[in-house]
Amino acid sequence: MMVRPSSSFLLVGLLWLCCWGAMARAGAEYMAYKDPKQPLNRRIKDLMGRMTLEEKIGQMTQLDRANVTAEIMRDFSLGSVLSGGGSVPREQASPQDWINMFNEFQKGALSSRLGIPMIYGIDAVHGHNNVYKATIFPHNVGLGATRDPELVKKIGAATALEVRATGINYAFAPCIAVCRDPRWGRCYESYSEDPAVVIQMTDVILGLQGEIPAGSRKGVPYVGGKDKVAACAKHFVGDGGTTRGINENNTVIDRHGLLSIHMPAYYHSIIKGVSTIMVSYSSLNGEKMHANHELVTRFLKDTLKFRGFVISDWQGIDKINYPLHSNYPEAVLAGVQAGIDMVMVPFNHTEFIGIVTDHVNNKRIPMSRIDDAVRRILKVKFVMGLFENPLADESFVDKLGSQAHRDLAREAVRKSLVLLKNGENAHTPVLPLPKKTKRILVAGTHANNLGYQCGGWSLTWQGVSGNNYTAGTTILSAITAAVDPSTEIVFSENPEADFLKSNNFSYAIVVVGEQPYAETKGDSLNLTIAEPGPQTITNVCGAVKCVVVVVSGRPVVIEPYVSSMDALVAAWLPGTEGQGVTDVLFGDYGFSGKLPRTWFKTVDQLPMNVGDAHYDPLFPFDFGLTTDSVEQL
């Protein structure tokens, strides 16, 4: 059968169209931003060129996990999810529970039109502290007492592994505030009153993110592999200097003071490749930091050359105006124009996205500001390798709460303890204590309370009381394990005088301190030890040779009781590994910690920091008695 010419032309035409369509589709499928062989800037430029305004604003939005679904991630191309303090998939959630949740949200993000992966943030501020059975390290004030940057770097690396064990890839840490007044409820999140100590401790970033390769450009975000996380230096800037230590309040300081006290650790964090910086709730000389264009854009981005992204604090933009969330469109405009790139909304994404869209459409926010924000966010995501490895790596699951990390935490505890008194003079030291003796009294509210040991930001935002919330070792349990089997240990939380007289104790260990708190709930004008702590000290130390261990997030009022104590130890908030306390009490290791903060006599002296004209402390900054390790038979 002959084919008519017209039919031949038609057939050839159809074949050509099919081939052309296939080639066109093949060409369209190549997207430079998905090609890891392409240079970073080309990938960013290619992706941004494909994005709509709505997708760009979506990338600037961060929601709490309780308000997110995979469909929301897909439909709004959201850039990030977070777990606020205590926001967990379920009580006592396993690493697999976290991974399943993370992957669900990530798959939602990947199913959006352009498939941009999300970044998931969490407050892993002293270990992966929201997570059941994670290793909880000493809070920053204790780490500042170690004066050991290498130790802190190891803690950063261990924390990164435990965070990755749950699939998460972004830690809101470290806090590099310079706490100048212990009445501040976040003082334990500060390494020291001295900016030089805080600068040392920024080495934690090298642990969290990895060491920047030799020859790399300084100041560029760096995350070195699947076992590392993006870090976040916070809270920019001056949060530790507020008047009377009131959280989120106003820091009154001149330019020289700002640059010499509160700013240096940010410069060093940027040099070490920190990926993100969080803005402070506080004000500086009356201007809200979340609306401070001069410092966020002109100084941080333009002068210090920070190339990562700037993130708000939880509802930080809502707090620009009072009361909370009032004049919200105006606050959003001020915050975004100040230079905030990602906004921790964290509840209502549609309202925020709608407002930013309206501001752009009406030329109140220029596209250049949106593009700057998105470029920075995408840079961090590309540097992290999220486009190549967006889902959780389940090979890290066994790192959560591992023995190696608990051993590291124990080392950190013993190096963080500061010995403030050891007998009446150097010739009659009380410590180290003998392990083999007749009978030891262990007393105090904090001796057998793992939650109190850990403090705030532990399992929940405000912390917990008791031993049933996570895995760890109380100080009482550590004492029991450390002493000779023939030594009798008697525990009485608040013993009465008759009990003390009738039991013929060799010595007593009294463990008292502050109850857990976080942020504003920790603001305190009196800084007293929680009751019945003072009564326990008075009763026990009046009847028995006593060592007092203070578990607190900051110096507290102890001057009235010191004369009755035979020895005094500042244990800060040591976390889950109580054996670190007994390691030095019984002389397996010597005391080496130095005060990271001035210990005042009375709160009337505050604020008082080393170098002040009125400096008259009970124990000065950098004070700490030392002991040698001993071998006990």
Side-chain angles (χ1 to χ4, degrees):
M1 174 181 169
M2 281 185 63
V3 178
R4 292 191 182 93
S6 57
S7 301
S8 301
F9 285 126
L10 183 61
L11 187 58
V12 170
L14 284 169
L15 286 170
W16 183 85
L17 283 170
C18 288
C19 292
W20 181 88
M23 289 188 294
R25 281 196 302 277
E29 281 166 10
Y30 177 76
M31 298 181 180
Y33 77 90
K34 290 187 175 182
D35 184 353
K37 295 176 183 174
Q38 293 297 327
L40 174 66
N41 287 334
R42 181 165 180 219
R43 296 181 78 183
I44 294 170
K45 184 177 181 182
D46 178 70
L47 178 51
M48 288 188 64
R50 301 171 187 275
M51 295 173 75
T52 64
L53 175 61
E54 289 73 23
E55 287 166 333
K56 289 178 178 179
I57 298 170
Q59 285 298 299
M60 296 170 65
T61 308
Q62 185 183 61
L63 279 182
D64 184 79
R65 53 154 293 283
N67 306 305
V68 179
T69 63
E71 291 71 31
I72 290 172
M73 297 301 300
R74 178 196 66 206
D75 296 345
F76 291 89
S77 193
L78 294 190
S80 186
V81 179
L82 86 149
S83 277
S87 183
V88 299
R90 66 176 183 86
E91 276 193 41
Q92 299 188 353
S94 68
Q96 197 62 52
D97 292 326
W98 284 92
I99 284 170
N100 293 343
M101 177 194 68
F102 173 89
N103 281 344
E104 181 185 354
F105 293 148
Q106 188 68 287
K107 287 172 183 175
L110 297 174
S111 67
S112 63
R113 186 179 74 91
L114 293 170
I116 304 171
M118 66 152 187
I119 184 171
Y120 192 118
I122 196 165
D123 286 285
V125 296
H126 60 140
H128 200 11
N129 45 262
N130 279 286
V131 177
Y132 181 59
K133 291 189 175 178
T135 309
I136 297 183
F137 294 90
H139 266 298
N140 286 355
V141 64
L143 298 182
T146 71
R147 303 292 201 277
D148 190 340
E150 189 62 34
L151 172 70
V152 170
K153 184 162 66 175
K154 290 177 184 174
I155 289 171
T159 300
L161 276 172
E162 297 211 9
V163 171
R164 284 288 194 170
T166 57
I168 296 171
N169 48 30
Y170 178 22
F172 299 130
C175 176
I176 54 172
V178 182
C179 175
R180 303 291 284 177
D181 192 326
R183 292 174 290 187
W184 186 37
R186 304 193 80 152
C187 207
Y188 63 74
E189 297 185 54
S190 167
Y191 293 106
S192 178
E193 71 186 41
D194 181 358
V197 174
V198 180
I199 288 168
Q200 277 189 308
M201 298 296 114
T202 58
D203 273 11
V204 70
I205 293 164
L206 302 177
L208 289 163
Q209 297 193 156
E211 299 260 8
I212 301 173
S216 299
R217 283 180 60 204
K218 301 293 185 188
V220 177
Y222 177 77
V223 181
K226 292 191 284 184
D227 60 342
K228 301 297 180 184
V229 296
C232 179
K234 64 183 188 182
H235 308 86
F236 188 82
V237 60
D239 51 339
T242 59
T243 302
R244 297 193 304 282
I246 298 170
N247 192 41
E248 304 182 18
N249 203 6
N250 187 31
T251 298
V252 179
I253 196 167
D254 61 19
R255 188 81 169 179
H256 172 75
L258 180 72
L259 296 182
S260 61
I261 296 171
H262 298 287
M263 195 66 78
Y266 285 96
Y267 173 68
H268 285 267
S269 297
I270 292 166
I271 288 173
K272 291 169 185 174
V274 75
S275 295
T276 76
I277 289 175
M278 185 184 292
V279 183
S280 176
Y281 286 130
S282 57
S283 301
L284 186 71
N285 298 324
E287 183 177 356
K288 285 279 189 182
M289 277 306 309
H290 273 74
N292 195 319
H293 179 269
E294 168 64 29
L295 282 172
V296 175
T297 292
R298 295 190 63 182
F299 194 82
L300 179 61
K301 291 182 174 180
D302 296 347
T303 301
L304 295 185
K305 306 297 184 189
F306 175 57
R307 293 291 177 259
F309 70 78
V310 176
I311 187 169
S312 83
D313 207 333
W314 177 280
Q315 287 192 297
I317 281 184
D318 304 58
K319 293 186 177 187
I320 288 175
N321 296 320
Y322 183 83
L324 181 75
H325 203 72
S326 59
N327 299 321
Y328 189 55
E330 174 193 298
V332 169
L333 177 63
V336 173
Q337 284 290 67
I340 296 171
D341 303 312
M342 182 178 283
V343 177
M344 204 182 288
V345 176
F347 303 112
N348 191 333
H349 59 290
T350 55
E351 180 188 29
F352 171 75
I353 291 169
I355 288 169
V356 178
T357 303
D358 179 69
H359 283 323
V360 174
N361 288 338
N362 286 283
K363 306 290 192 288
R364 293 183 287 268
I365 296 176
M367 260 323 286
S368 59
R369 173 75 272 273
I370 301 297
D371 286 343
D372 171 59
V374 176
R375 188 177 298 110
R376 289 167 178 275
I377 292 164
L378 294 179
K379 175 174 283 190
V380 170
K381 290 183 177 184
F382 278 119
V383 164
M384 292 174 70
L386 289 187
F387 284 80
E388 288 69 57
N389 297 292
L391 298 175
D393 184 336
E394 300 189 22
S395 66
F396 297 122
V397 164
D398 63 344
K399 301 298 183 184
L400 189 93
S402 70
Q403 191 57 50
H405 294 169
R406 292 189 183 279
D407 291 344
L408 178 64
R410 181 174 177 171
E411 177 188 351
V413 173
R414 63 175 176 256
K415 288 182 173 179
S416 71
L417 269 61
V418 181
L419 182 57
L420 298 175
K421 181 179 181 180
N422 190 18
E424 288 308 313
N425 55 62
H427 302 294
T428 57
V430 175
L431 296 171
L433 295 167
K435 293 180 180 180
K436 189 170 184 176
T437 190
K438 184 180 177 184
R439 184 180 294 122
I440 302 170
L441 171 66
V442 180
T445 48
H446 289 56
N448 190 34
N449 195 314
L450 197 60
Y452 283 9
Q453 250 174 244
C454 293
W457 292 111
S458 302
L459 283 305
T460 69
W461 176 36
Q462 292 295 323
V464 295
S465 172
N467 300 329
N468 300 323
Y469 292 91
T470 196
T473 305
T474 65
I475 293 169
L476 174 62
S477 297
I479 293 169
T480 304
V483 299
D484 189 87
S486 65
T487 300
E488 182 186 356
I489 294 173
V490 178
F491 174 60
S492 177
E493 198 166 287
N494 189 26
E496 295 181 355
D498 291 345
F499 176 82
L500 291 162
K501 287 174 186 172
S502 62
N503 271 279
N504 192 26
F505 292 110
S506 307
Y507 58 82
I509 300 171
V510 180
V511 191
V512 295
E514 295 186 296
Q515 293 175 357
Y517 56 80
E519 300 192 48
T520 303
K521 290 190 178 181
D523 287 356
S524 172
L525 293 177
N526 56 37
L527 293 177
T528 52
I529 293 170
E531 292 293 348
Q535 181 188 53
T536 307
I537 294 171
T538 302
N539 290 350
V540 175
C541 295
V544 184
K545 182 165 75 171
C546 74
V547 177
V548 175
V549 178
V550 177
V551 175
S552 68
R554 53 200 164 184
V556 289
V557 174
I558 56 168
E559 195 268 343
Y561 320 111
V562 172
S563 60
S564 69
M565 303 172 185
D566 295 287
L568 172 61
V569 177
W572 314 111
L573 297 168
T576 51
E577 308 312 305
Q579 310 100 310
V581 177
T582 52
D583 281 345
V584 288
L585 287 183
F586 294 106
D588 295 321
Y589 295 83
F591 278 91
S592 60
K594 303 294 181 186
L595 282 182
R597 324 196 39 76
T598 298
W599 205 297
F600 57 86
K601 292 176 181 174
T602 73
V603 290
D604 297 334
Q605 296 175 294
L606 300 176
M608 178 176 64
N609 295 284
V610 63
D612 288 351
H614 67 290
Y615 199 67
D616 182 28
L618 179 63
F619 300 107
F621 169 82
D622 213 32
F623 178 80
L625 302 172
T626 58
T627 60
D628 294 323
S629 60
V630 294
E631 208 170 300
Q632 299 195 30
L633 298 176

